[in-house]
Amino acid sequence: MRIAIDAMGGDHAPNLIVKGALDAAAQWTDIQVILVGDSAVIEPLLQGSMPSNVRIEHAEEVIGPDEEPVKAVRRKKRSSMVVAGQLVREGQADAMISAGNTGALMTTGLLVVGRMEGIERPALAQLIPTKNGVNVMALDLGANMDAKPEQLVQYAQLGSIYRSKVDGLTNPRVGLLNVGTEERKGNELTKAAYDLLEASSLNFIGNVESRDVLDHNCDVLVCDGFAGNIMLKAIEGTASSIMKTLKEEFNRSLLTKLAGAIMMPGLRNFRKTMDYKEHGGALLLGVNGLVVKGHGSSDALAIRNAIRQTRNALISNVTASMADEISRK
């Protein structure tokens, strides 16, 4: 299983990106890690030894976080992100991971890796932690700000196949993100999508409110990229604010410090559950290869877990399963 890593993308590139990749290569010897980037910069980070399942693919350019995505991908053919995408397209890699410019990675997925036949627009999908630990896959989380009802149905199909093949869920429950659970709630998009989902062969359970997502009332949550991205950032921000507030409260007095010490194991579990570093990256579903987006501030742990997630998806052969099932619908 050959996984191309954009070693130059992300806030902590290349040091922590390379470290996370090396940690993963040491843990899972059945993968080959391809570090894509400036070899003169990457080689010193290998500490004088190149593991047998790690190699460097030289790419002298880098796409910055503030560059316009389409122009950057078209002009910087030798950037680490684009070269990683080319490796996937040409069959020299089975997947790619980048913590770099999100828009540029979406563009790389579309223009370089290529769109899957039968899919109008790929979707950015991510597992959101739930209280019971099963998690819910939400998509789209920002690949497309606008969507058509038919595209939401395609997102539901992609998410259902992934959860079935990779996570082993039987007949995953599909929910539609909305402002209420009643059938005729929402805007024109969600009303039209509701009718199409209800008429499909998917296990559609109806509308889902964002306040109920963490209760795991569905396995796949479908939405347009605008609403999905707002929901995701609201959840991340709320979790972060809760931890900061609790820390301040527990430090107010000796008594609260003692109470905090007693509760610390539970709080650590909560923080770990809500930490993006523990859950890997977001997947760009609907392209002809496995493309994974790491958080921009990914550290070594986040990259290692993104590789773990990618390895599991490759073992399940999920991309081929998606292409096959979508082509038959």
Side-chain angles (χ1 to χ4, degrees), residues 128-185:
I128 295 177
T130 56
K131 293 189 295 186
N132 61 1
V134 179
N135 303 330
V136 56
M137 170 164 276
L139 69 170
D140 177 26
L141 295 179
N144 309 287
M145 292 299 106
D146 298 298
K148 299 176 182 177
E150 295 80 8
Q151 292 163 355
L152 294 188
V153 176
Q154 291 176 3
Y155 300 164
Q157 292 169 344
L158 293 170
S160 294
I161 296 168
Y162 184 94
R163 300 242 53 190
S164 175
K165 299 295 182 182
V166 179
D167 298 328
L169 299 184
T170 302
N171 202 20
R173 299 166 300 156
V174 176
L176 177 64
L177 183 65
N178 211 326
V179 296
T181 58
E182 297 87 350
E183 180 177 341
R184 301 315 301 171
K185 280 278 188 175

Side-chain angles (χ1 to χ4, degrees), residues 3-38:
I3 303 174
I5 311 293
D6 174 11
M8 313 306 289
D11 298 341
H12 301 297
N15 299 53
L16 296 187
I17 306 298
V18 172
K19 184 181 185 307
L22 294 177
D23 289 346
Q27 182 169 355
W28 298 293
T29 56
D30 57 353
I31 65 172
Q32 181 189 46
V33 171
I34 307 169
L35 295 170
V36 185
D38 191 336

Side-chain angles (χ1 to χ4, degrees), residues 45-101:
L45 301 176
L46 301 179
Q47 300 176 341
S49 63
M50 177 81 79
S52 59
N53 60 335
V54 176
R55 74 175 180 87
I56 298 173
E57 181 76 21
H58 180 66
E60 60 270 19
E61 295 180 303
V62 178
I63 293 178
D66 299 321
E67 293 191 59
E68 201 283 319
V70 176
K71 289 182 180 178
V73 169
R74 285 178 172 166
R75 292 176 180 176
K76 292 187 173 181
K77 302 293 187 184
R78 292 301 305 168
S79 65
S80 54
M81 185 185 292
V82 173
V83 170
Q86 290 169 346
L87 292 176
V88 175
R89 182 191 64 197
E90 295 167 3
Q92 298 181 50
D94 302 301
M96 68 168 288
I97 300 172
S98 176
N101 185 314

